[in-house]
Amino acid sequence: MKTLFLDAPYAGTVELCKETFNYLKQKNYQTVALYASVQFVNQLEKVRKQLEEAHIEVITSQARRTHVETQLLGCDNDKEALNLSQEQWQHIDAFLYIGDGRFHPLALVFAQKDLDDEEKEEGKERINKKEILCNDPMTQQLKIMGEVEVKSILNKYRASLMKFIAAERVGVLVTIKPGQQQLRASFAIEEKFPEKKFYYFIDNVLSFDQLENFPFIETWVNTACPRIGFDDQEKFVHVVINLRDAVYLKQ
């Protein structure tokens, strides 16, 4: 079956609300990294002008798997996906997301999960966690994902990584959906953790309630959409981590 994907751009005005503008001035932010969901990426001219008039520098990029600059995909939640250089990361005071909901801006939270490991590497300067300012152009409201919320989310995920290291029997979740199927890539964790026993569960749709039928599994590795490893933790009796993190995990 042929599939046609069409963008559905927002028809209204896209601009920074008064609350966002005042917060930027209050925090004295000099540089922001600007991103938006696909509905708003083509209407950011006024936002850029507002920031320019406030003498706030804008940094942005064309993230991996997107077709236009400033577009943010909620599924790409690792630091490299944003295609920002180390120098740009250092220069950014905060992320500014234009859009509604939490799914997309949470990707900016998860993109910072590797910073603690990176700053321990010799020769790399510390990068502080960045606040994420979410400006909803439809409700004209500001929501902030600050350092406390960022640390809370990332600490829970790190606990899951530690439980994976201690586990002996691991279930690997594989979907056959186009664009998400990573069966061959998942074999890399067997090579990295030869002491563990891996069981592969393959389906078109992952049914979380069915996983309880396999109580011998101590932890799960998700190879489908990486947001499952973060957003759906509570749906698993045992913890779940994402394939990429299992492969690059430092023991």
Side-chain angles (χ1 to χ4, degrees), residues 32-64:
V32 298
L34 179 63
Y35 292 95
S37 57
V38 67
Q39 295 92 337
F40 305 105
V41 291
N42 295 324
Q43 301 186 62
L44 296 179
E45 294 85 1
K46 191 164 186 177
V47 172
R48 287 179 179 272
K49 185 176 181 181
Q50 286 178 293
L51 294 170
E52 181 182 335
E53 291 175 348
H55 305 290
I56 298 174
E57 181 184 353
V58 174
I59 288 178
T60 192
S61 63
Q62 183 172 341
R64 187 176 64 201

Side-chain angles (χ1 to χ4, degrees), residues 61-159:
S61 63
Q62 183 172 341
R64 187 176 64 201
R65 301 199 304 139
T66 65
H67 66 278
V68 66
E69 192 176 83
T70 71
Q71 183 184 354
L72 182 67
L73 292 179
C75 294
D76 287 338
N77 57 5
D78 59 270
K79 179 173 174 283
E80 291 75 18
L82 292 176
N83 284 329
L84 289 170
S85 68
Q86 186 81 355
E87 182 180 353
Q88 287 175 314
W89 272 91
Q90 295 284 6
H91 197 49
I92 292 168
D93 294 321
F95 285 99
L96 175 58
Y97 168 74
I98 308 299
D100 60 339
R102 287 169 53 88
F103 182 77
H104 289 82
L106 273 174
L108 297 172
V109 173
F110 303 139
Q112 303 183 65
K113 67 182 181 298
D114 299 324
L115 295 183
D116 288 336
D117 291 332
E118 286 187 6
E119 68 191 31
K120 295 174 185 176
E121 295 181 13
E122 186 177 354
K124 286 196 174 181
E125 186 178 349
R126 175 184 174 87
I127 301 178
N128 294 322
K129 302 293 189 305
K130 315 295 183 181
E131 260 191 345
I132 299 155
L133 315 182
C134 307
N135 185 102
D136 189 330
M138 293 183 289
T139 63
Q140 288 292 296
Q141 291 182 328
L142 167 68
K143 293 182 180 178
I144 302 170
M145 295 181 183
E147 186 173 359
V148 173
E149 182 172 7
V150 170
K151 283 186 175 180
S152 174
I153 292 171
L154 300 184
N155 285 341
K156 288 180 181 178
Y157 191 70
R158 291 192 188 98

